[in-house]
Amino acid sequence: MKLQEYTTSAHNFEECMKCTVCTAYCPVLQVNPLYPGPKQAGPDGERLRLKDPYFFNYALKYCLNCKRCEVACPSGVKVADLIQSARIKYDTHPPKLRDQMLASTDFMGKLARPFAPIVNAVTDLGVTKKTLDMVLDIDHRRTFPKYSGRSFEGWLKRRSKEQAAFPEQVAYFHGCYVNYNYPQLGKDLVKVLNALGVGVQLLDDEKCCGIAMIANGMAREAAKHAQHNVDVLGKAVSRGLKVVTTSSTCTLTMRDEYPELLKVDNSAVRDSLLMATRFIYEKLEQGATLKFRADYHKKVAYHTPCHLEKLGWGVFSERLLRMIPGVEFTMLASNCCGMSGTYGFKKENYEASQAIGAPLFEQIKAVNPDVVACDCETCKWQIEMSTGYPVMNPISILAEALE
Amino acid sequence: MRFDTVIMGGGLAGMIAGIALQQAGKNTAIVSMGQNALHFFSGTFESLKEPDERLAALFSAAGIRVHYREGVRLMPLGTFKKAALSLEDIDIFPNAKIARRVLIVNFLGYHDFFSSFLAEGLEKHGIECRIRFLSLPDLDNTKAHGEMRSVQIARSMDRIWEKVVQEIRLMLRDEDTVVLPQVFGLSDTTVPGRIRQSLPARVVFAGTMPPSVPGIRTQIQLRRRYQLLGGTFLMGDEAIRAHEHEGVVHSIATNNLDAHYLEADSFILATGGLFSKGLRSNPFQISEPILGLDVDHPENRNNWYNPAFAEEQPYMGYGVKTDAQLHAVKEGVTLKNVYAIGSILGNTRPELGSGAGLAINSAFAVVDTLLAEK
């Protein structure tokens, strides 16, 4: 009796009742015939793998880890976690050089930053793209994110005194993208939070959240980053600080992938880790106010990134954008853009990646906005490259609209 | 976050209530734990009465085309069932003698459409049947990974339905009717009608195994309409707890929003029955997990089920207790601002397929109560 009442299974896989709803929402299944789909790769495959690891299928690498199967599942099965866990457990191939390079976002950032203008010029060259394609299987049709000559950390450190003067304080997990590629987003966040009377602090030596490592067969390295970050976040939390982020994927990784996939206990910090959009919305709900420019006008189409959809926090970005007078808001239908971090850079995934994003690109073109708003940096690269429309984080739009 | 009404459950009942309230100028949110029973929808709303003006207007504003006619419909296993209010692409016949000669067409490799059962069922009514399989290179992708499901085929069909029509033209001999799987019109709702116009025989679409293509289309249309009216749809989130004081619920907590509670004047529980996890069971009791509402069921577990598996099962009819206005009841006390609608009410009879009718009628009843309040 007890057995029947209390039985539980890893990632809830025994709750699967084979309804096939997940297969209707998997973006990969529609475009890649080599991928077995979330039901077979997830709960169905898990039963077999538990019998014999022989049944592990290397085609599981085609999973984007977009979590749309989990959002759709009516039974609470963690389908994507099952698939990623199986890859971590059973995939014994060492990662290729290319995958190691793509996965090491903060290491590559540190290397590239001092030579940013040269690196940016070189990665833009057709001949570089051809070479990367031939030697490393990084698709030549991709546009590479630019590196910034100055890091965000350096910028904020120079302002630490002025930030410390604000009556309320938060810590900011900026992530690799803001630090090495696009410090402007971090500066925009500081502007908005300062306007709310909140000063921004750096964490004590944050590392890459590790999602790219999880995706590229480097779970052991990812777990080291995870433990380091949980310790660093813990220090801020023990000082009574909330930690805000501007990347939906870093947030999902630190809140959910750490315990589910990497088995790193984050319970002491999980509830203090928030998307900045949620933090700002909650401040405004408690009575804080922001003053917006009277002459601001922008037609904004909002794309909910898959990982924000999984977090369930797209509603905060939506409400903040709708709050800005002068913003003409359109909600785009929820669709994966196809990029999924490092996935779209790989030559073998390029066609699938573009096919997955096609309905979203068409919708954006039909709406014809001034700007697409989105909380994910890799969606930004994909949408900008594939549609030509500029993409801004909602935080940057808030900052731009402020008086 | 504050709303006039928070609806738990994003199925047919929850969405009808949400749309009707938004239309009346209310500010609502729907919390939906994954996708819903519309993914298993037959295409027939067995409410067994003619749609009133209000339902017809709601459907037409959402782009859902329905028709009403009392009769029978063809079921996936070749049987017939009473039907009335249905999606436009579901045929309703006066009786089971639907044709003289039928051509049943399936896609090669698609195992979720039971052509032989259909033929067997139709032959019982003196209908001659011939089964043919279509092989289209466009579906090779779908076939390759072994997950050849209705939705995968339907996505291709929106683009290539004309090829299917051409192939069927070549197959047709003297049949007056063609039976096809319900895999058309997922995003382009005009496709089923255009197929009908392009073939020289009558076309009947028969149900497949889930996911239901007309059901998913209906859910997309309803959700789009709800969001267009300004409703907040929280997909993939789950209401986990309600905060109640003296018979009034003031907020609920959800899995994704943890400490950020959803506050509202009223709450509608539309989380479905046992199948949708609106009710949970263990060997000792059947319970409602969010509010801990009273559930109507016999104490003794042996009375919950019928050992004859295929017979009517008593547990299928269990639901939460309510008063006449569908206020939910907890430990014998009526909750003043919590209402239950849809399958969680119980007493649905699967053999009548009354789920959709109950969802719609109970949703409108509660919306009327709420709008009459102030």
Side-chain angles (χ1 to χ4, degrees), chain A residues 5 71 140 146 186 226 228 281 285 314 326 331 345 351 389-390:
Chain A
E5 194 182 355
V71 172
H140 64 277
K146 299 277 173 279
H228 173 90
Y281 181 84
E285 213 177 38
M331 186 70 164
F345 279 106
E351 307 287 343
Y389 286 90

Side-chain angles (χ1 to χ4, degrees), chain A residues 214-226:
Chain A
I214 297 173
N216 287 289
M218 297 164 68
R220 221 176 313 144
E221 291 82 347
K224 279 187 204 149
H225 278 222

